[in-house]
Amino acid sequence: MPDLSQGDDEAAVNALRSAVMRLSRRLKHQRVDESLSPTEMSVLGTLARCGRATPGELARKEHVQPPSMTRIVALLEAKDLVRLEPHPDDRRQKVVTQTEQAEAMLEESRRRRNAFLATLTEQLDEDEWAKLRAAAPVLEKLAHI
């Protein structure tokens, strides 16, 4: 674990935070559908990654309160990006599934963002690119802790 009282660790954590936030902002500008909020896009991404889920499960995965997720799911359903289906085991619950329209939109969004990042990585030398490839799994782990 980094010791943030040490100058090098504190500087590394600060640089990581700053770089991730700056890169995230730049990636947000590559969205396909500007009418969707970042949270709505995140919910669609979670459904694409994890499959169907109840609104409660989505709320936990997205770190929002269940009433907020209920509103988000309703907005996505109104845009024909998700469907609510009966839960197979519990009639009181619904299961959220993304639609083909959402899948196509996410695929185009991924394609744009990947192209954007590929353009940025062309400016790296071999050593920098190797370090970035090695860091990618670690960044992925951090994103899902």
Side-chain angles (χ1 to χ4, degrees), residues 81-106:
L81 296 172
V82 299
R83 283 186 305 278
L84 287 172
E85 301 168 344
H87 192 283
D89 302 323
D90 185 349
R91 291 179 152 182
R92 296 170 296 167
Q93 291 195 55
K94 298 284 185 183
V95 176
V96 183
T97 307
Q98 70 177 2
T99 63
E100 289 179 13
Q101 180 181 340
E103 289 175 31
M105 186 193 61
L106 284 172

mmCIF file of all heavy atoms in Angstrom, residues 81-106:
data_model
loop_
_atom_site.group_PDB
_atom_site.id
_atom_site.type_symbol
_atom_site.label_atom_id
_atom_site.label_comp_id
_atom_site.label_asym_id
_atom_site.label_seq_id
_atom_site.Cartn_x
_atom_site.Cartn_y
_atom_site.Cartn_z
ATOM 1 N N LEU A 81 -33.978 1.866 -24.652
ATOM 2 C CA LEU A 81 -32.635 1.330 -24.502
ATOM 3 C C LEU A 81 -32.587 0.138 -23.549
ATOM 4 O O LEU A 81 -31.619 -0.629 -23.561
ATOM 5 C CB LEU A 81 -31.675 2.423 -24.041
ATOM 6 C CG LEU A 81 -31.503 3.561 -25.047
ATOM 7 C CD1 LEU A 81 -30.692 4.703 -24.449
ATOM 8 C CD2 LEU A 81 -30.868 3.051 -26.334
ATOM 9 N N VAL A 82 -33.620 -0.005 -22.713
ATOM 10 C CA VAL A 82 -33.744 -1.175 -21.838
ATOM 11 C C VAL A 82 -35.189 -1.658 -21.837
ATOM 12 O O VAL A 82 -36.102 -0.902 -22.181
ATOM 13 C CB VAL A 82 -33.294 -0.889 -20.374
ATOM 14 C CG1 VAL A 82 -31.833 -0.473 -20.302
ATOM 15 C CG2 VAL A 82 -34.187 0.120 -19.700
ATOM 16 N N ARG A 83 -35.340 -2.913 -21.462
ATOM 17 C CA ARG A 83 -36.667 -3.513 -21.261
ATOM 18 C C ARG A 83 -36.750 -3.991 -19.816
ATOM 19 O O ARG A 83 -35.762 -4.450 -19.254
ATOM 20 C CB ARG A 83 -36.841 -4.757 -22.145
ATOM 21 C CG ARG A 83 -37.117 -4.528 -23.569
ATOM 22 C CD ARG A 83 -37.409 -5.853 -24.299
ATOM 23 N NE ARG A 83 -36.367 -6.861 -24.152
ATOM 24 C CZ ARG A 83 -35.250 -6.900 -24.884
ATOM 25 N NH1 ARG A 83 -35.021 -5.995 -25.790
ATOM 26 N NH2 ARG A 83 -34.367 -7.851 -24.681
ATOM 27 N N LEU A 84 -37.938 -3.889 -19.248
ATOM 28 C CA LEU A 84 -38.198 -4.473 -17.932
ATOM 29 C C LEU A 84 -38.995 -5.746 -18.158
ATOM 30 O O LEU A 84 -40.011 -5.725 -18.857
ATOM 31 C CB LEU A 84 -38.984 -3.497 -17.051
ATOM 32 C CG LEU A 84 -38.192 -2.310 -16.517
ATOM 33 C CD1 LEU A 84 -39.117 -1.332 -15.824
ATOM 34 C CD2 LEU A 84 -37.119 -2.783 -15.565
ATOM 35 N N GLU A 85 -38.497 -6.819 -17.586
ATOM 36 C CA GLU A 85 -39.153 -8.117 -17.732
ATOM 37 C C GLU A 85 -39.436 -8.685 -16.344
ATOM 38 O O GLU A 85 -38.765 -8.316 -15.375
ATOM 39 C CB GLU A 85 -38.241 -9.066 -18.508
ATOM 40 C CG GLU A 85 -37.886 -8.545 -19.890
ATOM 41 C CD GLU A 85 -36.766 -9.337 -20.555
ATOM 42 O OE1 GLU A 85 -36.043 -10.093 -19.860
ATOM 43 O OE2 GLU A 85 -36.604 -9.197 -21.774
ATOM 44 N N PRO A 86 -40.399 -9.576 -16.234
ATOM 45 C CA PRO A 86 -40.660 -10.189 -14.931
ATOM 46 C C PRO A 86 -39.443 -10.985 -14.443
ATOM 47 O O PRO A 86 -38.748 -11.609 -15.238
ATOM 48 C CB PRO A 86 -41.828 -11.145 -15.204
ATOM 49 C CG PRO A 86 -42.403 -10.706 -16.502
ATOM 50 C CD PRO A 86 -41.308 -10.049 -17.276
ATOM 51 N N HIS A 87 -39.208 -10.923 -13.153
ATOM 52 C CA HIS A 87 -38.127 -11.704 -12.544
ATOM 53 C C HIS A 87 -38.527 -13.170 -12.582
ATOM 54 O O HIS A 87 -39.671 -13.513 -12.266
ATOM 55 C CB HIS A 87 -37.901 -11.232 -11.103
ATOM 56 C CG HIS A 87 -36.657 -11.761 -10.493
ATOM 57 N ND1 HIS A 87 -36.554 -13.043 -10.026
ATOM 58 C CD2 HIS A 87 -35.458 -11.175 -10.280
ATOM 59 C CE1 HIS A 87 -35.345 -13.234 -9.536
ATOM 60 N NE2 HIS A 87 -34.655 -12.103 -9.675
ATOM 61 N N PRO A 88 -37.635 -14.077 -12.950
ATOM 62 C CA PRO A 88 -38.016 -15.482 -13.065
ATOM 63 C C PRO A 88 -38.402 -16.143 -11.740
ATOM 64 O O PRO A 88 -39.192 -17.092 -11.727
ATOM 65 C CB PRO A 88 -36.782 -16.154 -13.662
ATOM 66 C CG PRO A 88 -35.654 -15.218 -13.412
ATOM 67 C CD PRO A 88 -36.250 -13.841 -13.317
ATOM 68 N N ASP A 89 -37.887 -15.626 -10.616
ATOM 69 C CA ASP A 89 -38.135 -16.264 -9.319
ATOM 70 C C ASP A 89 -38.956 -15.434 -8.351
ATOM 71 O O ASP A 89 -39.454 -15.956 -7.360
ATOM 72 C CB ASP A 89 -36.797 -16.602 -8.641
ATOM 73 C CG ASP A 89 -35.936 -17.505 -9.494
ATOM 74 O OD1 ASP A 89 -36.490 -18.405 -10.164
ATOM 75 O OD2 ASP A 89 -34.705 -17.302 -9.504
ATOM 76 N N ASP A 90 -39.083 -14.146 -8.601
ATOM 77 C CA ASP A 90 -39.736 -13.254 -7.653
ATOM 78 C C ASP A 90 -40.667 -12.307 -8.409
ATOM 79 O O ASP A 90 -40.212 -11.354 -9.039
ATOM 80 C CB ASP A 90 -38.672 -12.465 -6.873
ATOM 81 C CG ASP A 90 -39.252 -11.599 -5.772
ATOM 82 O OD1 ASP A 90 -40.495 -11.420 -5.715
ATOM 83 O OD2 ASP A 90 -38.461 -11.088 -4.959
ATOM 84 N N ARG A 91 -41.950 -12.539 -8.327
ATOM 85 C CA ARG A 91 -42.933 -11.744 -9.077
ATOM 86 C C ARG A 91 -42.950 -10.274 -8.680
ATOM 87 O O ARG A 91 -43.428 -9.439 -9.427
ATOM 88 C CB ARG A 91 -44.335 -12.322 -8.877
ATOM 89 C CG ARG A 91 -44.517 -13.638 -9.534
ATOM 90 C CD ARG A 91 -45.903 -14.135 -9.263
ATOM 91 N NE ARG A 91 -46.322 -14.997 -10.357
ATOM 92 C CZ ARG A 91 -47.489 -15.561 -10.432
ATOM 93 N NH1 ARG A 91 -48.377 -15.370 -9.480
ATOM 94 N NH2 ARG A 91 -47.785 -16.335 -11.448
ATOM 95 N N ARG A 92 -42.428 -9.955 -7.493
ATOM 96 C CA ARG A 92 -42.421 -8.562 -7.038
ATOM 97 C C ARG A 92 -41.337 -7.743 -7.732
ATOM 98 O O ARG A 92 -41.374 -6.526 -7.710
ATOM 99 C CB ARG A 92 -42.189 -8.505 -5.529
ATOM 100 C CG ARG A 92 -43.308 -9.151 -4.714
ATOM 101 C CD ARG A 92 -42.891 -9.282 -3.277
ATOM 102 N NE ARG A 92 -41.747 -10.202 -3.212
ATOM 103 C CZ ARG A 92 -40.957 -10.370 -2.171
ATOM 104 N NH1 ARG A 92 -41.165 -9.678 -1.083
ATOM 105 N NH2 ARG A 92 -39.952 -11.215 -2.203
ATOM 106 N N GLN A 93 -40.364 -8.414 -8.335
ATOM 107 C CA GLN A 93 -39.231 -7.709 -8.937
ATOM 108 C C GLN A 93 -39.286 -7.750 -10.455
ATOM 109 O O GLN A 93 -39.985 -8.562 -11.046
ATOM 110 C CB GLN A 93 -37.918 -8.360 -8.490
ATOM 111 C CG GLN A 93 -37.605 -8.154 -7.030
ATOM 112 C CD GLN A 93 -36.160 -8.492 -6.749
ATOM 113 O OE1 GLN A 93 -35.261 -7.944 -7.389
ATOM 114 N NE2 GLN A 93 -35.947 -9.398 -5.814
ATOM 115 N N LYS A 94 -38.523 -6.860 -11.046
ATOM 116 C CA LYS A 94 -38.336 -6.823 -12.493
ATOM 117 C C LYS A 94 -36.854 -7.017 -12.790
ATOM 118 O O LYS A 94 -35.994 -6.765 -11.948
ATOM 119 C CB LYS A 94 -38.778 -5.475 -13.078
ATOM 120 C CG LYS A 94 -40.235 -5.160 -12.872
ATOM 121 C CD LYS A 94 -41.079 -5.953 -13.816
ATOM 122 C CE LYS A 94 -42.543 -5.531 -13.690
ATOM 123 N NZ LYS A 94 -43.395 -6.308 -14.529
ATOM 124 N N VAL A 95 -36.576 -7.451 -14.009
ATOM 125 C CA VAL A 95 -35.204 -7.593 -14.473
ATOM 126 C C VAL A 95 -35.011 -6.620 -15.632
ATOM 127 O O VAL A 95 -35.873 -6.515 -16.508
ATOM 128 C CB VAL A 95 -34.928 -9.046 -14.925
ATOM 129 C CG1 VAL A 95 -33.541 -9.183 -15.508
ATOM 130 C CG2 VAL A 95 -35.110 -10.007 -13.763
ATOM 131 N N VAL A 96 -33.894 -5.923 -15.615
ATOM 132 C CA VAL A 96 -33.574 -4.941 -16.650
ATOM 133 C C VAL A 96 -32.656 -5.604 -17.676
ATOM 134 O O VAL A 96 -31.645 -6.209 -17.315
ATOM 135 C CB VAL A 96 -32.872 -3.701 -16.050
ATOM 136 C CG1 VAL A 96 -32.606 -2.656 -17.118
ATOM 137 C CG2 VAL A 96 -33.681 -3.119 -14.900
ATOM 138 N N THR A 97 -33.039 -5.472 -18.943
ATOM 139 C CA THR A 97 -32.242 -6.017 -20.046
ATOM 140 C C THR A 97 -32.043 -4.915 -21.073
ATOM 141 O O THR A 97 -32.980 -4.174 -21.380
ATOM 142 C CB THR A 97 -32.990 -7.196 -20.721
ATOM 143 O OG1 THR A 97 -33.349 -8.138 -19.716
ATOM 144 C CG2 THR A 97 -32.144 -7.865 -21.774
ATOM 145 N N GLN A 98 -30.847 -4.807 -21.616
ATOM 146 C CA GLN A 98 -30.632 -3.785 -22.648
ATOM 147 C C GLN A 98 -31.215 -4.246 -23.978
ATOM 148 O O GLN A 98 -31.319 -5.435 -24.239
ATOM 149 C CB GLN A 98 -29.159 -3.441 -22.783
ATOM 150 C CG GLN A 98 -28.305 -4.522 -23.382
ATOM 151 C CD GLN A 98 -26.870 -4.058 -23.543
ATOM 152 O OE1 GLN A 98 -26.513 -2.950 -23.179
ATOM 153 N NE2 GLN A 98 -26.041 -4.917 -24.082
ATOM 154 N N THR A 99 -31.605 -3.299 -24.807
ATOM 155 C CA THR A 99 -32.187 -3.598 -26.109
ATOM 156 C C THR A 99 -31.086 -3.649 -27.176
ATOM 157 O O THR A 99 -29.937 -3.254 -26.925
ATOM 158 C CB THR A 99 -33.209 -2.518 -26.512
ATOM 159 O OG1 THR A 99 -32.518 -1.269 -26.648
ATOM 160 C CG2 THR A 99 -34.334 -2.396 -25.486
ATOM 161 N N GLU A 100 -31.458 -4.101 -28.364
ATOM 162 C CA GLU A 100 -30.508 -4.121 -29.482
ATOM 163 C C GLU A 100 -30.050 -2.708 -29.822
ATOM 164 O O GLU A 100 -28.901 -2.500 -30.205
ATOM 165 C CB GLU A 100 -31.145 -4.788 -30.693
ATOM 166 C CG GLU A 100 -31.318 -6.283 -30.537
ATOM 167 C CD GLU A 100 -31.977 -6.939 -31.742
ATOM 168 O OE1 GLU A 100 -32.086 -6.294 -32.810
ATOM 169 O OE2 GLU A 100 -32.368 -8.112 -31.612
ATOM 170 N N GLN A 101 -30.947 -1.748 -29.686
ATOM 171 C CA GLN A 101 -30.588 -0.350 -29.940
ATOM 172 C C GLN A 101 -29.474 0.086 -28.985
ATOM 173 O O GLN A 101 -28.523 0.758 -29.401
ATOM 174 C CB GLN A 101 -31.818 0.537 -29.771
ATOM 175 C CG GLN A 101 -31.564 2.006 -30.010
ATOM 176 C CD GLN A 101 -32.817 2.860 -29.809
ATOM 177 O OE1 GLN A 101 -33.932 2.368 -29.853
ATOM 178 N NE2 GLN A 101 -32.620 4.143 -29.573
ATOM 179 N N ALA A 102 -29.576 -0.297 -27.722
ATOM 180 C CA ALA A 102 -28.541 0.049 -26.743
ATOM 181 C C ALA A 102 -27.228 -0.644 -27.093
ATOM 182 O O ALA A 102 -26.154 -0.038 -27.009
ATOM 183 C CB ALA A 102 -28.983 -0.335 -25.336
ATOM 184 N N GLU A 103 -27.300 -1.908 -27.480
ATOM 185 C CA GLU A 103 -26.089 -2.642 -27.858
ATOM 186 C C GLU A 103 -25.382 -1.964 -29.020
ATOM 187 O O GLU A 103 -24.153 -1.812 -29.014
ATOM 188 C CB GLU A 103 -26.435 -4.085 -28.226
ATOM 189 C CG GLU A 103 -26.846 -4.935 -27.045
ATOM 190 C CD GLU A 103 -27.293 -6.331 -27.460
ATOM 191 O OE1 GLU A 103 -26.776 -6.862 -28.464
ATOM 192 O OE2 GLU A 103 -28.163 -6.892 -26.775
ATOM 193 N N ALA A 104 -26.139 -1.551 -30.037
ATOM 194 C CA ALA A 104 -25.553 -0.894 -31.205
ATOM 195 C C ALA A 104 -24.934 0.447 -30.814
ATOM 196 O O ALA A 104 -23.827 0.793 -31.273
ATOM 197 C CB ALA A 104 -26.613 -0.703 -32.278
ATOM 198 N N MET A 105 -25.624 1.204 -29.964
ATOM 199 C CA MET A 105 -25.118 2.494 -29.533
ATOM 200 C C MET A 105 -23.828 2.330 -28.729
ATOM 201 O O MET A 105 -22.858 3.061 -28.937
ATOM 202 C CB MET A 105 -26.159 3.232 -28.696
ATOM 203 C CG MET A 105 -25.743 4.638 -28.342
ATOM 204 S SD MET A 105 -26.770 5.355 -27.078
ATOM 205 C CE MET A 105 -26.492 4.228 -25.750
ATOM 206 N N LEU A 106 -23.798 1.344 -27.824
ATOM 207 C CA LEU A 106 -22.594 1.098 -27.031
ATOM 208 C C LEU A 106 -21.435 0.661 -27.918
ATOM 209 O O LEU A 106 -20.292 1.074 -27.708
ATOM 210 C CB LEU A 106 -22.866 0.039 -25.962
ATOM 211 C CG LEU A 106 -23.657 0.504 -24.752
ATOM 212 C CD1 LEU A 106 -24.030 -0.682 -23.883
ATOM 213 C CD2 LEU A 106 -22.871 1.524 -23.954
#
